[in-house]
């Protein structure tokens, strides 16, 4: 028996019917909504409630991560935009024009995450521009998390509908 045939029999390579894809999707969005610009959101909430050393820690983490995001976007932003745009276009064409299910699945995960990346750059610029600290900073981080969760919910909804459509279509063709 051929090695590739064995692997493809053991592991379901259809993305939308694979449990691991849905686990990866859930973990990705859970992680994206928990880490707001690299700062754990539970720490932001605790800093808003208690202040003191926790608030200082959040300010330090935000300062470090905002500087990091702004440096990367300033130095490599154009190249990153070009590369990510190329990859997303390639995934979209392969997935939806040439009907490669794996590329559809990766696109439906990567495209909304790229929107969250752009949102993170926008939030980092706003924090740096206005020199946010204390309650205005916490409000901005909460808003960023809300938008991330909204993008995530819409992305999961679209992915679920598309995945069900693909499974039903392929299931109907298989019979």
């Amino acid at each position: 028996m051929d090695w590739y045939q064995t692997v493809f029999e053991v592991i379901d390579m259809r993305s939308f019917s694979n449990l691991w894809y849905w686990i990866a999707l859930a973990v990705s969005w859970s992680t994206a909504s928990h880490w707001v610009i690299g700062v754990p959101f539970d720490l932001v909430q605790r800093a808003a409630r208690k202040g003191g050393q926790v608030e200082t820690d959040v300010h330090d983490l935000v300062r470090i991560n905002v500087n990091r995001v702004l440096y990367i976007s300033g130095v490599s932003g154009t190249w990153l935009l070009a590369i990510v745009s190329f990859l997303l276009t390639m995934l979209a064409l392969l997935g939806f024009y040439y009907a490669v299910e794996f590329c559809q699945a990766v696109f439906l995960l990567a495209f909304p995450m790229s929107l969250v990346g752009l949102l993170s750059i926008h939030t980092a610029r706003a924090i740096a521009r206005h020199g946010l600290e204390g309650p205005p900073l916490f409000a901005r981080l909460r808003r960023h998390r809300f938008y991330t969760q909204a993008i995530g919910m819409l992305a999961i909804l679209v992915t679920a509908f598309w995945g069900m459509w693909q499974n039903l279509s392929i299931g109907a063709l298989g019979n």
Side-chain angles (χ1 to χ4, degrees):
M1 182 181 281
D2 186 72
W3 185 81
Y4 289 111
Q5 183 180 1
T6 305
V7 168
F8 283 108
E9 283 179 7
V10 172
I11 302 171
D12 183 11
M13 298 307 276
R14 288 190 40 240
S15 301
F16 297 114
S17 62
N18 193 331
L19 178 63
W20 290 107
Y21 174 74
W22 297 104
I23 291 172
L25 184 74
V27 167
S28 297
W29 283 111
S30 176
T31 303
S33 69
H34 178 69
W35 292 88
V36 180
I37 311 179
V39 180
F41 192 71
D42 63 308
L43 191 63
V44 173
Q45 288 178 312
R46 196 165 10 133
R49 275 194 318 269
K50 295 184 180 181
Q53 183 60 42
V54 179
E55 186 173 349
T56 304
D57 293 345
V58 168
H59 287 191
D60 290 342
L61 282 172
V62 168
R63 180 185 47 79
I64 290 166
N65 287 311
V66 162
N67 289 338
R68 191 180 117 257
V69 167
L70 293 178
Y71 176 77
I72 291 170
S73 69
V75 170
S76 309
T78 306
W79 282 104
L80 283 173
L81 180 65
I83 291 167
V84 169
S85 297
F86 170 76
L87 291 173
L88 289 174
T89 302
M90 181 187 68
L91 286 170
L93 285 173
L94 285 171
F96 298 104
Y97 186 75
Y98 291 106
V100 177
E101 187 177 326
F102 179 75
C103 292
Q104 292 172 0
V106 173
F107 178 82
L108 289 171
L109 182 61
F111 177 71
M113 284 295 178
S114 68
L115 296 178
V116 171
L118 291 174
L119 179 65
S120 295
I121 293 170
H122 176 72
T123 302
R125 284 185 180 153
I127 290 170
R129 184 178 336 113
H130 300 298
L132 297 178
E133 288 187 1
L137 174 65
F138 303 144
R140 185 66 188 210
L141 293 174
R142 274 193 295 277
R143 191 174 330 129
H144 177 87
R145 183 174 192 238
F146 174 79
Y147 291 144
T148 299
Q149 288 177 329
I151 292 169
M153 287 188 313
L154 183 62
I156 290 170
L157 180 72
V158 168
T159 302
F161 279 133
W162 186 258
M164 284 188 290
W165 176 259
Q166 289 298 308
N167 288 336
L168 290 173
S169 297
I170 292 171
L173 293 175
N175 293 333

